[in-house]
Amino acid sequence: MTLAYRRALLKISGEALAGSRGVGLDFGVVGSLAEQIKQVHAGGVQLGLVVGGGNIMRGTTASAEGLDRVSADYMGMLATVINALALQDILEKIGVQTRVLTAIRMESLAEPYIRRRAVRHLEKGRLVIFAGGTGNPFFSTDTAAVLRALEIDADVILKATGVDGVYTGDPKKDPSATFIPELSFQEAIVKGYAVMDANAFGLCKENGLPIVVFNINQPGAIVRVLAGDRVGTIVR
Ligand code: UDP
């Protein structure tokens, strides 16, 4: 495989791990995702993963139901650790060396996040799973993904979603919505396309970090994106 990127950060939402159930973990889905990740990793890409937690707990949803927002956000961050451990277990079973690094210290089950250590793991060919989001309430795992991508000097951030990329409207509601293969940061802002949450998007724009939004359910999508194929929408 010829690589278009040397080091990449893949953001996987919690929903992508829940499959058609929408909540919790579907281990069949996690397994097939792990196979794709293994293939990419075997191709020589230095790969970091940031996992979401929305399949288990979302701070905004829980606080709307009466929970304290900060507590709910910490619960959300813990949910990302559950997902990270599931991914780690399944990846290691198929022979991928991984390390989970958490933004909130919990040394009996994972290493604490230390930037230089993360980079060292990547250089040694280990796949690094960043868990616990940014470690701060009021943020999202999209922001955590951009933050870690910038910290480890990734060439690109890959945002795995359930749709093919960015459209002019919501393709599920508007049949006239058309697919956009390429966008500038400025265009995305002017036209109001929601690529990522505003904090995360702003960080990418400010630092010139390209984003590829693609459909994780398309077979081989991650491999194709990293080989530089035209898959999904690229924002740069
Ligand atoms: N979260 C947080 N700070 C972070 C990252 C996540 O407080 O830096 C909490 C927040 O409550 C969020 C939840 O963790 O709703 C799960 O993350 P997210 O919603 O980003 O997951 P995804 O939608 O990607 O599954």
Side-chain angles (χ1 to χ4, degrees):
M1 176 170 119
T2 321
L3 296 176
Y5 305 103
R6 169 196 56 105
R7 185 176 287 168
L9 194 294
L10 172 65
K11 158 74 205 293
I12 301 173
S13 70
E15 265 170 24
L17 305 176
S20 54
R21 297 179 193 179
V23 291
L25 283 155
D26 179 330
F27 291 106
V29 169
V30 181
S32 58
L33 190 63
E35 284 293 345
Q36 275 206 63
I37 293 169
K38 177 182 176 170
Q39 214 182 328
V40 169
H41 191 244
V45 182
Q46 293 185 14
L47 194 63
L49 303 185
V50 166
V51 274
N55 55 323
I56 300 170
M57 173 65 67
R58 228 182 226 118
T60 44
T61 314
S63 72
E65 284 171 27
L67 240 73
D68 170 66
R69 171 69 195 264
V70 175
S71 302
D73 277 344
Y74 277 113
M75 291 163 74
M77 288 182 258
L78 293 177
T80 71
V81 179
I82 295 177
N83 287 335
L85 293 182
L87 260 171
Q88 176 175 46
D89 185 73
I90 291 175
L91 281 163
E92 296 252 339
K93 281 207 172 83
I94 57 171
V96 184
Q97 265 207 46
T98 65
R99 293 290 186 275
V100 173
L101 270 53
T102 58
I104 298 170
R105 297 178 87 92
M106 38 182 96
E107 278 104 320
S108 39
L109 55 94
E111 294 178 17
Y113 170 71
I114 297 167
R115 175 184 170 242
R116 295 176 70 106
R117 187 181 270 189
V119 170
R120 190 81 188 109
H121 286 320
L122 292 169
E123 287 169 352
K124 286 190 170 173
R126 297 172 187 139
L127 186 143
V128 177
I129 306 173
F130 297 102
T134 63
N136 300 292
F138 301 103
F139 286 94
S140 69
T141 50
D142 274 6
T143 301
V146 178
L147 189 61
R148 295 300 182 235
L150 293 171
E151 286 183 277
I152 64 167
D153 194 26
D155 306 316
V156 67
I157 178 154
L158 312 178
K159 184 171 156 73
T161 66
V163 289
D164 289 346
V166 180
Y167 284 79
T168 53
D170 182 348
K172 284 176 191 147
K173 293 179 195 149
D174 175 6
S176 68
T178 54
F179 176 73
I180 309 166
E182 190 163 342
L183 258 179
S184 70
F185 289 111
Q186 197 56 35
E187 259 181 295
I189 293 172
V190 171
K191 297 189 175 151
Y193 299 136
V195 179
M196 279 186 162
D197 75 59
N199 276 335
F201 188 81
L203 269 177
C204 286
K205 179 175 182 282
E206 206 174 299
N207 294 283
L209 179 68
I211 312 164
V212 178
V213 184
F214 70 101
N215 191 342
I216 191 78
N217 305 314
Q218 255 181 30
I222 310 173
V223 180
R224 290 179 52 215
V225 172
L226 288 167
D229 285 3
R230 273 252 108 281
V231 178
T233 299
I234 183 158
V235 189
R236 58 181 157 199

